Amino acid sequence: MTTDTRPQTATPDLFAVPAGLETPNLLLDLDVLERNLDEMAGLCQLHQVGLRPHAKTHRVPRLASMQLDRGADGICVAKLGEAEAFAAAGVTRMTVAYPLVGRDKAERAVRLAQRCELTVGADSVAGARTLGEAFAAVGRLLDVLLIVDSGLGRCGVAPADAALVAWDIAELPGVRLTGVMTYEGSVYAATDRADLTRRSQEAAGVVVDTAAAIRSAGLTLSTVSLGASASARTVVAEPGVTEIRPGIYAFNDLGQIALGNATVATCAVRVLATVVSHPEPHRACIDAGSKTFGQDGLPATAHVDAYGGHGLLVGLPGWRIDRLSEEHGWLRWAGPGEPSPLTVGQRVQVVPNHVCMVFAGLGEVTAVRGGEVEAVWPTIGPGASR
């Protein structure tokens, strides 16, 4: 890691950064974060929709507590390891939005349900059966949401098959089917704001209609849950939706900027990095590579020309993070005319393409307010991905 002892002064888009921070470093502006949390909580309150933020975005217990304190009625996670760590930190209501398959996962879920109010997603009778057997063996019921494919083509049953699968799951011992859920990741392919709205409404319609078909088949469902930050501001107002599970909304990133959901000013995070090499005017390297940023590009190719690369270099128009190796971000000049100057040792701030990968890569976040460090929070440790 590289240390620069010079303070960095804020501009409208640059964070005020205290001297002495090592790089690479994930900075979180608490004022911006709190505004983002309040905005989404307010939308959910307005439309009487539950908010269960996806905490796999950050994996930080203190941030989950802030979300709960500011309007969330629980959190969502991807893996049991995440759920176990958050339960140990005192979170009492969680959804594991990931198919749990196998006896080992089922037994861990039983132990977890002794510490929190647990809901899990399932998209197969086989997976739900193993869970139900483990819970029935101890005389308990596990709340299950049927995962529905709303267009992404990843997990989830086809809407046409949902009623039959729902009945098969509902009849299993140890299981209580309480609703349907989806991750409408297909909306990230939107080319513009109008396309994003259309895709979001279509995804919501698929899941609401699927829930209606299951109810018509004779089952009672209370929850219709959708789960993407890209679509959250649209689907929260769609009739029939009862819950949303966005994660990135709290921080925002370049993917959300490209979709029109955020601006640089509403991005609560920056990766602070240092220029460590500048051998020619048109190229340089920073000390943040794929281990910091991950390799994710922008979700929609329609935005690559406008934003491109592996993150937005704030306040450095014309410079692009053109390539990543493990420990290097390869800066290349892509602007008109001669390159604007950089200096070795200069600190730069980057809005990442995908903020989830930065939390995972760096393993901690530096919380700042008014240019002063308030705290450094680690992400949950080894085992979180199991």
Side-chain angles (χ1 to χ4, degrees):
M1 300 180 77
T2 304
T3 303
D4 187 343
T5 59
R6 297 169 295 181
Q8 186 166 320
T9 304
T11 70
D13 290 330
L14 286 169
F15 288 176
V17 179
L21 292 182
E22 288 193 290
T23 61
N25 200 314
L26 178 59
L27 305 179
L28 172 62
D29 187 294
L30 293 172
D31 290 327
V32 181
L33 168 71
E34 290 166 359
R35 289 195 292 269
N36 292 343
L37 297 182
D38 289 343
E39 180 211 5
M40 192 63 69
L43 283 172
C44 289
Q45 184 177 19
L46 175 66
H47 295 287
Q48 297 185 317
V49 168
L51 174 61
R52 192 158 287 206
H54 210 322
K56 68 93 178 172
T57 294
H58 54 76
R59 291 182 168 183
V60 176
R62 179 69 186 101
L63 291 174
S65 295
M66 291 180 67
Q67 290 174 310
L68 294 166
D69 290 344
R70 302 180 90 92
D73 57 9
I75 65 168
C76 175
V77 296
K79 295 296 186 73
L80 271 175
E82 294 173 347
E84 289 162 344
F86 281 117
V91 178
T92 59
R93 300 184 69 193
M94 278 183 279
T95 298
V96 179
Y98 192 93
L100 300 179
V101 175
R103 184 70 187 183
D104 56 339
K105 297 293 193 297
E107 291 175 351
R108 286 170 63 192
V110 169
R111 294 192 293 271
L112 176 62
Q114 295 170 357
R115 296 190 286 160
C116 70
E117 182 182 319
L118 179 65
T119 301
V120 306
D123 71 349
S124 70
V125 178
R129 179 180 292 113
T130 303
L131 290 166
E133 289 171 351
F135 276 78
V138 296
R140 301 192 61 168
L141 284 174
L142 173 65
D143 287 341
V144 172
L145 299 176
L146 178 64
I147 305 171
V148 176
D149 178 16
S150 56
L152 182 60
R154 190 174 67 180
C155 295
V157 299
D161 301 329
L164 179 59
V165 177
W167 260 112
D168 288 343
I169 290 176
E171 291 180 332
L172 295 171
V175 164
R176 177 168 53 209
L177 185 71
T178 60
V180 295
M181 69 187 304
T182 195
Y183 171 61
E184 63 279 21
S186 57
V187 304
Y188 278 97
T191 57
D192 56 31
R193 189 69 185 173
D195 188 30
L196 177 62
T197 299
R198 178 186 61 80
R199 289 171 181 265
S200 300
Q201 291 172 334
E202 288 178 355
V206 167
V207 185
V208 169
D209 290 348
T210 300
I214 294 171
R215 292 180 181 121
S216 294
L219 292 174
T220 300
L221 302 179
S222 60
T223 301
V224 178
S225 179
L226 284 93
S229 289
S231 59
R233 292 170 180 81
T234 297
V235 303
V236 71
E238 291 298 299
V241 174
T242 69
E243 176 184 89
I244 60 172
R245 311 181 320 277
I248 294 173
Y249 81 96
F251 314 99
N252 290 318
D253 54 20
L254 191 54
Q256 297 301 315
I257 291 175
L259 288 167
N261 282 331
T263 65
V264 174
T266 64
C267 284
V269 291
R270 304 284 189 274
V271 173
L272 184 68
T274 300
V275 176
V276 294
S277 175
H278 191 21
E280 295 182 292
H282 66 281
R283 66 184 180 96
C285 283
I286 56 175
D287 60 349
S290 61
K291 287 181 178 177
T292 295
F293 293 110
Q295 289 282 6
D296 287 358
L298 292 178
T301 56
H303 306 304
V304 169
D305 288 342
Y307 296 101
H310 295 274
L312 176 67
L313 286 153
V314 181
L316 294 173
W319 284 102
R320 177 173 292 189
I321 306 175
D322 185 63
R323 180 178 170 185
L324 299 175
S325 46
E326 288 186 25
E327 308 293 355
H328 298 79
W330 300 36
L331 274 57
R332 295 295 183 265
W333 178 252
E338 293 299 312
S340 60
L342 297 172
T343 59
V344 172
Q346 177 179 346
R347 293 194 295 182
V348 300
Q349 297 183 24
V350 183
V351 175
N353 285 349
H354 186 187
V355 68
C356 305
M357 300 307 297
V358 184
F359 275 102
L362 289 180
E364 66 179 22
V365 58
T366 301
V368 299
R369 195 189 304 269
E372 298 294 329
V373 174
E374 287 202 1
V376 178
W377 294 317
T379 62
I380 56 180
S385 295
R386 292 197 296 271

